[in-house]
Every structure is written in structure tokens, then in C-alpha cells.
Coordinates of all heavy atoms in Angstrom, one line a residue:
E1061 N 19.0 7.4 13.0 CA 17.8 6.7 13.5 C 16.6 7.0 12.6 O 16.0 6.1 12.2 CB 17.5 7.3 14.9 CG 16.5 6.5 15.6 CD 17.0 5.1 16.1 OE1 18.2 5.0 16.4 OE2 16.1 4.3 16.2
V1062 N 16.4 8.3 12.2 CA 15.3 8.6 11.3 C 15.5 8.1 9.9 O 14.6 7.5 9.3 CB 15.1 10.1 11.3 CG1 14.0 10.5 10.2 CG2 14.6 10.6 12.6
G1063 N 16.8 8.2 9.5 CA 17.1 7.7 8.1 C 16.9 6.2 8.0 O 16.4 5.7 7.0
R1064 N 17.3 5.4 9.1 CA 17.0 4.0 9.1 C 15.5 3.7 9.1 O 15.1 2.8 8.4 CB 17.7 3.4 10.3 CG 17.7 1.9 10.3 CD 18.4 1.2 11.4 NE 19.4 2.1 12.1 CZ 19.7 2.0 13.4 NH1 19.1 1.1 14.1 NH2 20.5 2.8 13.9
G1065 N 14.8 4.5 9.9 CA 13.3 4.3 9.9 C 12.7 4.5 8.5 O 11.8 3.8 8.1
L1066 N 13.1 5.6 7.9 CA 12.6 5.8 6.5 C 13.0 4.7 5.6 O 12.2 4.4 4.7 CB 13.1 7.2 6.0 CG 12.6 8.4 6.8 CD1 13.3 9.7 6.3 CD2 11.1 8.5 6.6
C1067 N 14.1 4.1 5.7 CA 14.5 3.0 4.9 C 13.6 1.8 5.2 O 13.2 1.1 4.2 CB 16.0 2.6 5.1 SG 17.1 3.7 4.3
H1068 N 13.2 1.6 6.4 CA 12.3 0.5 6.8 C 11.0 0.7 6.0 O 10.4 -0.2 5.5 CB 12.0 0.4 8.3 CG 13.2 0.0 9.1 ND1 13.3 0.2 10.4 CD2 14.3 -0.7 8.7 CE1 14.4 -0.3 10.9 NE2 15.0 -0.9 9.9
I1069 N 10.5 1.9 6.1 CA 9.2 2.2 5.4 C 9.3 2.1 3.9 O 8.4 1.5 3.2 CB 8.7 3.6 5.8 CG1 8.5 3.7 7.3 CG2 7.4 4.0 5.0 CD1 7.5 2.7 7.9
A1070 N 10.4 2.5 3.3 CA 10.6 2.4 1.9 C 10.7 0.9 1.5 O 10.1 0.5 0.5 CB 11.9 3.1 1.5
E1071 N 11.3 0.1 2.3 CA 11.4 -1.3 2.0 C 10.0 -2.0 2.1 O 9.7 -2.8 1.3 CB 12.4 -2.0 2.9 CG 13.8 -1.6 2.6 CD 14.8 -2.1 3.7 OE1 14.4 -2.6 4.8 OE2 16.0 -1.9 3.5
A1072 N 9.3 -1.5 3.1 CA 7.9 -2.1 3.3 C 7.0 -1.7 2.1 O 6.3 -2.6 1.6 CB 7.3 -1.6 4.6
L1073 N 7.1 -0.5 1.6 CA 6.3 -0.1 0.5 C 6.8 -0.8 -0.8 O 5.9 -1.2 -1.6 CB 6.4 1.4 0.2 CG 5.7 2.3 1.2 CD1 6.1 3.8 1.1 CD2 4.2 2.1 1.1
Q1074 N 8.1 -1.0 -0.9 CA 8.6 -1.7 -2.1 C 8.1 -3.2 -2.1 O 7.6 -3.7 -3.1 CB 10.1 -1.7 -2.1 CG 10.7 -2.4 -3.3 CD 12.2 -2.3 -3.4 OE1 12.8 -2.1 -2.3 NE2 12.8 -2.5 -4.5
H1075 N 8.1 -3.8 -0.9 CA 7.7 -5.2 -0.8 C 6.1 -5.3 -1.1 O 5.7 -6.1 -1.8 CB 8.0 -5.7 0.6 CG 7.5 -7.1 0.8 ND1 8.2 -8.2 0.3 CD2 6.4 -7.6 1.4 CE1 7.5 -9.3 0.7 NE2 6.4 -9.0 1.3
T1076 N 5.4 -4.3 -0.5 CA 4.0 -4.3 -0.6 C 3.6 -4.1 -2.1 O 2.7 -4.8 -2.6 CB 3.4 -3.1 0.2 OG1 3.7 -3.4 1.6 CG2 1.9 -3.1 0.0
H1077 N 4.3 -3.3 -2.8 CA 4.0 -3.0 -4.2 C 4.4 -4.1 -5.1 O 3.6 -4.6 -5.9 CB 4.7 -1.7 -4.6 CG 4.4 -1.2 -6.0 ND1 3.4 -0.3 -6.3 CD2 4.9 -1.6 -7.2 CE1 3.3 -0.2 -7.6 NE2 4.2 -0.9 -8.1
F1078 N 5.7 -4.5 -5.0 CA 6.2 -5.5 -6.0 C 5.9 -6.9 -5.7 O 5.6 -7.7 -6.6 CB 7.7 -5.3 -6.2 CG 8.0 -4.0 -6.9 CD1 8.6 -2.9 -6.2 CD2 7.7 -3.7 -8.2 CE1 8.9 -1.7 -6.8 CE2 8.0 -2.5 -8.8 CZ 8.6 -1.5 -8.1
V1079 N 5.9 -7.3 -4.4 CA 5.7 -8.7 -4.0 C 4.2 -8.9 -3.7 O 3.6 -9.8 -4.2 CB 6.5 -9.1 -2.8 CG1 6.2 -10.5 -2.4 CG2 8.0 -9.0 -3.2
G1080 N 3.6 -8.0 -2.9 CA 2.2 -8.2 -2.5 C 1.2 -7.6 -3.6 O 0.0 -7.9 -3.4
R1081 N 1.7 -6.9 -4.6 CA 0.9 -6.3 -5.6 C -0.3 -5.5 -5.0 O -1.4 -5.6 -5.4 CB 0.3 -7.4 -6.5 CG 1.3 -8.3 -7.2 CD 2.0 -7.6 -8.3 NE 1.1 -7.2 -9.4 CZ 1.4 -6.2 -10.2 NH1 2.6 -5.6 -10.2 NH2 0.5 -5.8 -11.1
R1082 N 0.1 -4.7 -4.0 CA -0.9 -3.8 -3.4 C -0.3 -2.4 -3.4 O 0.9 -2.1 -3.4 CB -1.1 -4.1 -1.9 CG -1.8 -5.5 -1.7 CD -2.1 -5.7 -0.3 NE -3.3 -5.0 0.2 CZ -4.6 -5.3 -0.1 NH1 -4.8 -6.2 -0.9 NH2 -5.6 -4.6 0.4
L1083 N -1.3 -1.4 -3.5 CA -0.9 0.0 -3.4 C -1.5 0.5 -2.1 O -2.6 0.3 -1.7 CB -1.6 0.8 -4.5 CG -1.1 0.5 -5.9 CD1 -1.8 1.4 -6.9 CD2 0.4 0.7 -6.0
H1084 N -0.6 1.1 -1.3 CA -1.0 1.5 0.1 C -2.1 2.6 0.1 O -3.1 2.5 0.7 CB 0.2 2.0 0.8 CG 0.0 2.2 2.3 ND1 -0.7 3.3 2.8 CD2 0.3 1.4 3.3 CE1 -0.7 3.2 4.1 NE2 -0.2 2.0 4.5
L1085 N -1.9 3.7 -0.6 CA -2.9 4.8 -0.8 C -3.3 5.5 0.5 O -4.2 6.3 0.5 CB -4.2 4.3 -1.5 CG -4.0 3.7 -2.9 CD1 -5.4 3.3 -3.4 CD2 -3.3 4.6 -3.9
G1086 N -2.6 5.3 1.5 CA -2.9 6.0 2.8 C -1.7 6.3 3.6 O -1.7 6.3 4.9
L1087 N -0.5 6.5 3.0 CA 0.7 6.7 3.7 C 0.6 8.1 4.5 O 0.4 9.1 3.9 CB 1.9 6.7 2.8 CG 3.3 6.8 3.4 CD1 3.5 5.6 4.4 CD2 4.4 6.8 2.4
A1088 N 0.8 8.0 5.8 CA 0.7 9.2 6.6 C 1.5 8.9 7.9 O 1.7 7.7 8.2 CB -0.7 9.6 6.9
P1089 N 1.8 9.9 8.7 CA 2.5 9.6 10.0 C 1.7 8.6 10.8 O 2.3 7.8 11.6 CB 2.6 11.0 10.6 CG 2.7 11.9 9.5 CD 1.7 11.3 8.4
E1090 N 0.4 8.7 10.8 CA -0.4 7.8 11.6 C -0.3 6.3 11.2 O -0.8 5.5 11.9 CB -1.9 8.3 11.5 CG -2.1 9.6 12.1 CD -1.8 10.8 11.2 OE1 -1.6 10.5 10.0 OE2 -1.7 11.9 11.6
S1091 N 0.2 6.1 10.0 CA 0.3 4.7 9.5 C 1.7 4.1 9.8 O 2.0 3.0 9.3 CB -0.1 4.6 8.0 OG 0.7 5.3 7.2
V1092 N 2.5 4.8 10.5 CA 3.9 4.3 10.8 C 3.9 4.1 12.3 O 3.6 4.9 13.1 CB 5.0 5.4 10.4 CG1 6.3 4.9 10.8 CG2 4.9 5.6 8.9
F1093 N 4.4 2.9 12.6 CA 4.5 2.5 14.0 C 5.9 2.1 14.3 O 6.6 1.5 13.5 CB 3.6 1.2 14.3 CG 2.1 1.5 13.9 CD1 1.6 1.2 12.7 CD2 1.3 2.1 14.9 CE1 0.3 1.5 12.4 CE2 0.0 2.4 14.6 CZ -0.5 2.0 13.3
I1094 N 6.4 2.5 15.5 CA 7.7 2.2 15.9 C 7.7 1.2 17.1 O 7.1 1.5 18.1 CB 8.5 3.5 16.3 CG1 8.4 4.5 15.1 CG2 9.9 3.2 16.8 CD1 9.0 5.9 15.5
T1095 N 8.4 0.1 16.9 CA 8.5 -0.9 18.0 C 9.4 -0.4 19.1 O 10.2 0.5 18.9 CB 9.0 -2.2 17.4 OG1 10.4 -2.1 17.1 CG2 8.2 -2.7 16.2
P1096 N 9.3 -1.1 20.3 CA 10.2 -0.7 21.4 C 11.7 -0.9 21.0 O 12.6 -0.3 21.6 CB 9.8 -1.7 22.5 CG 8.4 -2.0 22.2 CD 8.3 -2.0 20.7
Q1097 N 12.0 -1.8 20.0 CA 13.3 -2.0 19.5 C 13.8 -0.9 18.5 O 14.9 -0.9 18.0 CB 13.5 -3.3 18.9 CG 13.3 -4.5 19.9 CD 11.8 -4.8 20.2 OE1 10.9 -4.4 19.4 NE2 11.6 -5.4 21.3
G1098 N 12.8 0.0 18.2 CA 13.2 1.1 17.2 C 12.9 0.8 15.8 O 13.3 1.5 14.9
V1099 N 12.3 -0.4 15.5 CA 12.0 -0.7 14.1 C 10.7 -0.1 13.7 O 9.7 -0.1 14.4 CB 11.9 -2.3 14.0 CG1 11.5 -2.7 12.5 CG2 13.2 -2.9 14.4
W1100 N 10.7 0.6 12.5 CA 9.6 1.3 12.0 C 8.8 0.3 11.2 O 9.3 -0.4 10.3 CB 10.0 2.4 11.1 CG 10.6 3.6 11.8 CD1 11.2 3.6 13.0 CD2 10.6 4.9 11.4 NE1 11.7 4.8 13.3 CE2 11.3 5.7 12.4 CE3 10.1 5.6 10.3 CZ2 11.5 7.1 12.3 CZ3 10.3 7.0 10.2 CH2 11.0 7.7 11.1
K1101 N 7.5 0.2 11.4 CA 6.6 -0.7 10.7 C 5.5 0.1 10.0 O 5.0 1.1 10.5 CB 5.9 -1.7 11.7 CG 6.9 -2.5 12.5 CD 7.4 -3.7 11.7 CE 8.3 -4.6 12.5 NZ 8.7 -5.7 11.7
L1102 N 5.0 -0.5 8.9 CA 4.0 0.2 8.1 C 2.6 -0.5 8.4 O 2.5 -1.7 8.3 CB 4.3 0.1 6.6 CG 3.4 0.8 5.7 CD1 3.3 2.3 6.0 CD2 3.8 0.6 4.2
G1103 N 1.7 0.3 8.7 CA 0.3 -0.2 8.9 C -0.7 0.7 8.1 O -0.3 1.4 7.2
G1104 N -1.9 0.7 8.5 CA -2.9 1.6 7.9 C -3.2 1.2 6.5 O -3.2 2.0 5.6
F1105 N -3.5 -0.1 6.2 CA -3.8 -0.5 4.9 C -5.3 -0.5 4.5 O -5.7 -1.1 3.6 CB -3.3 -2.0 4.7 CG -1.8 -2.0 4.6 CD1 -1.0 -2.2 5.7 CD2 -1.2 -2.0 3.3 CE1 0.4 -2.2 5.6 CE2 0.2 -2.0 3.2 CZ 1.0 -2.2 4.3
G1106 N -6.0 0.3 5.3 CA -7.5 0.4 5.0 C -7.9 0.9 3.7 O -8.9 0.6 3.1
F1107 N -7.0 1.8 3.0 CA -7.3 2.3 1.7 C -6.6 1.6 0.6 O -6.6 2.0 -0.5 CB -7.0 3.8 1.7 CG -7.8 4.7 2.6 CD1 -7.3 5.2 3.7 CD2 -9.2 4.9 2.3 CE1 -8.1 6.0 4.5 CE2 -9.9 5.7 3.1 CZ -9.4 6.2 4.2
S1108 N -5.8 0.5 0.9 CA -5.0 -0.1 -0.1 C -5.9 -0.9 -1.1 O -7.0 -1.3 -0.8 CB -4.0 -1.1 0.6 OG -4.7 -2.1 1.2
I1109 N -5.3 -1.1 -2.2 CA -6.0 -1.8 -3.3 C -5.0 -2.9 -3.8 O -3.8 -2.7 -3.8 CB -6.5 -1.0 -4.4 CG1 -5.4 -0.2 -5.1 CG2 -7.6 0.0 -4.0 CD1 -5.7 0.6 -6.4
T1110 N -5.6 -4.0 -4.3 CA -4.8 -5.1 -4.8 C -4.8 -4.9 -6.3 O -5.8 -4.7 -7.0 CB -5.4 -6.5 -4.4 OG1 -5.5 -6.5 -3.0 CG2 -4.5 -7.6 -5.0
L1111 N -3.6 -5.1 -6.9 CA -3.4 -5.0 -8.3 C -3.5 -6.4 -9.0 O -3.1 -7.4 -8.4 CB -2.0 -4.5 -8.7 CG -1.7 -3.1 -8.2 CD1 -0.3 -2.7 -8.4 CD2 -2.6 -2.1 -8.9
A1112 N -4.2 -6.5 -10.1 CA -4.2 -7.7 -10.8 C -2.8 -8.0 -11.4 O -2.1 -7.1 -11.6 CB -5.2 -7.6 -12.0
P1113 N -2.5 -9.3 -11.6 CA -1.2 -9.6 -12.1 C -0.8 -8.8 -13.4 O 0.3 -8.5 -13.7 CB -1.2 -11.1 -12.4 CG -2.2 -11.6 -11.4 CD -3.3 -10.5 -11.3
S1114 N -1.8 -8.5 -14.2 CA -1.5 -7.9 -15.5 C -1.5 -6.4 -15.4 O -1.1 -5.7 -16.4 CB -2.6 -8.3 -16.5 OG -3.9 -7.9 -16.1
E1115 N -1.9 -5.8 -14.3 CA -2.0 -4.3 -14.1 C -0.6 -3.8 -14.0 O 0.2 -4.3 -13.2 CB -2.8 -3.9 -12.9 CG -4.3 -4.0 -13.2 CD -5.1 -3.4 -12.0 OE1 -5.3 -4.2 -11.1 OE2 -5.4 -2.3 -12.0
V1116 N -0.3 -2.6 -14.6 CA 0.9 -1.9 -14.5 C 0.5 -0.5 -14.0 O -0.4 0.1 -14.4 CB 1.6 -1.8 -15.9 CG1 2.9 -0.9 -15.7 CG2 1.9 -3.2 -16.4
V1117 N 1.3 -0.1 -13.0 CA 1.0 1.2 -12.4 C 2.0 2.2 -13.0 O 3.2 2.0 -13.0 CB 1.2 1.2 -10.9 CG1 1.0 2.5 -10.3 CG2 0.2 0.2 -10.3
S1118 N 1.5 3.3 -13.4 CA 2.4 4.4 -13.9 C 2.4 5.5 -12.8 O 1.4 5.7 -12.1 CB 2.0 4.9 -15.2 OG 0.7 5.5 -15.1
V1119 N 3.5 6.2 -12.7 CA 3.5 7.3 -11.8 C 2.9 8.5 -12.4 O 3.4 9.0 -13.5 CB 5.0 7.6 -11.4 CG1 5.1 8.7 -10.4 CG2 5.6 6.3 -10.7
L1120 N 1.9 9.1 -11.8 CA 1.3 10.3 -12.3 C 1.7 11.5 -11.5 O 1.9 11.4 -10.3 CB -0.2 10.1 -12.2 CG -0.8 8.9 -13.0 CD1 -2.3 8.8 -12.7 CD2 -0.6 9.1 -14.5
P1121 N 1.7 12.7 -12.1 CA 2.0 13.9 -11.3 C 0.8 14.1 -10.4 O -0.3 13.7 -10.6 CB 2.1 15.0 -12.4 CG 1.4 14.4 -13.6 CD 1.5 12.9 -13.5
P1122 N 1.1 14.8 -9.3 CA 0.0 15.2 -8.3 C -1.1 15.9 -9.0 O -0.9 16.7 -9.9 CB 0.6 16.0 -7.3 CG 2.1 16.0 -7.5 CD 2.3 15.4 -8.9
S1123 N -2.4 15.7 -8.6 CA -3.5 16.4 -9.2 C -3.7 17.8 -8.7 O -4.4 18.6 -9.3 CB -4.8 15.5 -9.1 OG -5.0 15.4 -7.7
L1124 N -3.1 18.1 -7.5 CA -3.3 19.4 -6.9 C -1.9 20.1 -7.0 O -0.9 19.5 -6.9 CB -3.6 19.3 -5.4 CG -5.0 18.6 -5.1 CD1 -5.1 18.4 -3.6 CD2 -6.1 19.4 -5.7
P1125 N -2.0 21.4 -7.3 CA -0.7 22.2 -7.3 C 0.0 22.1 -6.0 O -0.6 22.4 -4.9 CB -1.1 23.6 -7.7 CG -2.6 23.7 -7.4 CD -3.1 22.3 -7.5
F1126 N 1.2 21.8 -6.0 CA 2.0 21.7 -4.8 C 3.3 22.5 -5.0 O 4.0 22.3 -5.9 CB 2.4 20.3 -4.4 CG 3.3 20.2 -3.2 CD1 2.9 20.4 -2.0 CD2 4.7 19.9 -3.5 CE1 3.8 20.3 -0.9 CE2 5.6 19.9 -2.4 CZ 5.1 20.1 -1.1
F1127 N 3.6 23.4 -4.0 CA 4.8 24.2 -4.0 C 5.5 24.0 -2.7 O 4.9 24.3 -1.7 CB 4.5 25.7 -4.3 CG 3.9 25.9 -5.6 CD1 2.5 26.2 -5.7 CD2 4.6 26.0 -6.8 CE1 1.9 26.4 -6.9 CE2 4.0 26.3 -8.0 CZ 2.6 26.5 -8.0
P1128 N 6.7 23.5 -2.7 CA 7.4 23.4 -1.4 C 7.5 24.8 -0.8 O 7.5 25.8 -1.5 CB 8.8 22.9 -1.8 CG 8.6 22.3 -3.1 CD 7.5 23.0 -3.8
P1129 N 7.5 24.9 0.5 CA 7.5 26.2 1.2 C 8.5 27.2 0.6 O 8.2 28.4 0.5 CB 7.8 25.9 2.6 CG 7.4 24.5 2.8 CD 7.6 23.8 1.5
H1130 N 9.7 26.8 0.3 CA 10.7 27.7 -0.2 C 10.5 28.2 -1.6 O 11.2 29.0 -2.1 CB 12.1 27.1 0.0 CG 12.3 25.9 -0.8 ND1 11.9 24.7 -0.4 CD2 13.0 25.7 -1.9 CE1 12.2 23.7 -1.3 NE2 12.9 24.3 -2.2
T1131 N 9.5 27.6 -2.4 CA 9.4 28.0 -3.8 C 7.9 28.4 -4.1 O 7.5 28.5 -5.2 CB 9.7 26.8 -4.7 OG1 8.8 25.7 -4.4 CG2 11.1 26.3 -4.6
S1132 N 7.1 28.7 -3.0 CA 5.7 29.0 -3.3 C 5.7 30.4 -4.0 O 6.5 31.2 -3.9 CB 5.0 29.1 -2.0 OG 5.6 30.0 -1.1
P1133 N 4.7 30.5 -4.9 CA 4.6 31.7 -5.8 C 4.3 32.9 -5.0 O 3.7 33.0 -4.0 CB 3.5 31.3 -6.8 CG 2.7 30.2 -6.2 CD 3.6 29.6 -5.2

């Protein structure tokens, strides 16, 4: 159930990014909605930005140091 929901969100982000040319920039639990049928939907596009057709997005490392709980210094 959770795995399927995460796939729904991943597909929504992929569609938003590649087809809609938008970056969400606000992904959080509060931006995920679950329908009565159990389908996970992505909302919360208040911080999203639209990319120009010529813009290419590169993946950057996080700007803040992050250590998963099991590897914290």
C-alpha cells in the first residue's frame, strides 16, 4: 500500500518535471493527499516554479549537512 502510494507520488513528480516543466520545491507530507480509493495525489504547488523550454536542471547536493540517524557523527 505505501509502496504503491510512493510510486504514485514519484510518477506525479516525473510528469510535473518532464511534461509540465515545473519544479515542485515543496514536497512534504502535507502536500500528499490520499483519496477514499487509496490513490495518492500530489498537491501543494505554491512554491513550484516553471522552467523555460531551454532550461536544464542539474541535481545539486544538499546545502545543509545531513546525516541519516544511523550515521550521525
